Amino acid sequence: MIKRWQLAGLGLALVALLANADDTGLRTRFPIGSIESIEAADQALAAAQLARQQSDYDFAVGKRACYQKFLAQDCIDKLKVEQRQRNADIEEVEVEAKRYKRKADYDAKALDRANKAEDAAAHAASNAAQRDTNRSTYDTKQTDAAHTVEQRQDRASSDAQHVASYQSKQADAQNKLASDQKRAAQAATTAPQKEADRNQQIADSEARREKLAKKRAEKQADRARRAEDKARQSGSTNTPGQA
């Protein structure tokens, strides 16, 4: 005749076998640092979703099996501990994949901003060259105008007004160029600091995640120890030979 304590041991062994089932080798398929592309990150997230579904399914199947066993609650508690560990592994893969995608998106945007800044600088240089050409043309016209003034005194006043208006426009253009150059210089100065601040934010976020993961692991280890102590105490209470 099989004793009750023997049935309990068989039930716990079955639960452990179900709970420790491999989640399609998720951590093996995506070891730490292996996600190096958007495609790999998307594959990892899809695999993590399937693994989480498998974990939930295994827990449901194991829980139904526990209700048929002696010490059903102890059996269910052990299942919960095992499921939390499995889900923690799955979450690690998800966090790494999402972090890579965020970084890739940030890098792409940073590159786009750098390209736009380079285009703006090239455009400013082209405008400066055009202004130099206009200035040279203006100088030529001024020489011609001076010669014309000597020949046509009656048009001197009109020519002077034309010159003053053109010079005002040139001054406005120079002021605008100086303002554009100042803004470009300020943007070039603040860009490294913004990048450094962003990297620091990422580092701080990673440190917080690691701290939370450590606390979670410590809590899980503590729960596992308490479950093992409880199982040993229960086993010692139901000694062999009892009906």
Side-chain angles (χ1 to χ4, degrees):
M1 180 178 178
I2 300 177
K3 306 298 183 180
R4 284 183 296 175
W5 67 270
Q6 292 175 318
L7 288 173
L10 289 173
L12 291 174
L14 176 60
V15 170
L17 179 62
L18 290 172
N20 289 323
D22 183 14
D23 292 328
T24 66
L26 188 63
R27 189 74 273 186
T28 301
R29 290 173 59 194
F30 303 99
I32 296 175
S34 65
I35 300 177
E36 299 180 342
S37 67
I38 294 295
E39 181 180 1
D42 289 338
Q43 290 174 353
L45 290 173
Q49 182 179 7
L50 292 177
R52 193 179 295 279
Q53 293 173 354
Q54 183 65 46
S55 175
D56 293 341
Y57 174 81
D58 290 346
F59 177 79
V61 172
K63 188 175 182 180
R64 286 197 297 270
C66 286
Y67 286 129
Q68 307 301 320
K69 307 301 178 181
F70 184 69
L71 298 176
Q73 189 56 51
D74 287 347
C75 175
I76 292 173
D77 289 343
K78 185 173 180 61
L79 267 183
K80 289 179 179 179
V81 171
E82 296 295 340
Q83 187 190 37
R84 280 194 292 269
Q85 181 58 51
R86 292 172 71 181
N87 289 344
D89 293 340
I90 294 170
E91 185 177 355
E92 287 179 359
V93 173
E94 289 176 330
V95 168
E96 183 177 355
K98 290 176 181 179
R99 182 170 61 247
Y100 179 87
K101 292 187 71 174
R102 286 195 300 270
K103 184 178 183 303
D105 181 66
Y106 176 80
D107 291 343
K109 290 179 179 178
L111 179 60
D112 182 64
R113 289 193 297 269
N115 290 336
K116 288 180 179 179
E118 184 178 354
D119 291 341
H123 184 66
S126 176
N127 288 344
Q130 183 61 47
R131 281 190 290 271
D132 288 340
T133 300
N134 292 343
R135 187 178 295 108
S136 177
T137 301
Y138 169 76
D139 292 340
T140 300
K141 289 181 178 180
Q142 285 294 93
T143 301
D144 295 338
H147 181 67
T148 301
V149 167
E150 294 176 355
Q151 294 179 348
R152 303 178 182 180
Q153 293 295 327
D154 59 320
R155 301 179 61 182
S157 178
S158 177
D159 289 343
Q161 291 177 357
H162 174 74
V163 170
S165 176
Y166 185 83
Q167 288 177 338
S168 177
K169 291 180 181 179
Q170 286 294 99
D172 291 341
Q174 289 292 341
N175 291 335
K176 186 177 184 301
L177 174 60
S179 178
D180 291 342
Q181 290 174 339
K182 183 177 179 180
R183 284 195 295 269
Q186 289 175 343
T189 301
T190 58
Q193 183 60 45
K194 290 182 179 179
E195 179 72 12
D197 291 343
R198 175 62 180 171
N199 290 337
Q200 184 61 45
Q201 290 176 356
I202 293 174
D204 292 343
S205 178
E206 184 63 22
R208 287 193 295 272
R209 291 194 187 95
E210 291 176 357
K211 185 176 180 180
L212 290 175
K214 182 178 180 181
K215 288 184 178 179
R216 184 172 59 248
E218 290 173 351
K219 289 181 180 179
Q220 291 173 349
D222 184 62
R223 293 192 189 99
R225 285 195 298 272
R226 290 200 298 268
E228 291 175 357
D229 292 341
K230 189 173 182 181
R232 284 197 297 270
Q233 292 174 1
S234 177
S236 64
T237 300
N238 298 319
T239 56
Q242 292 180 334

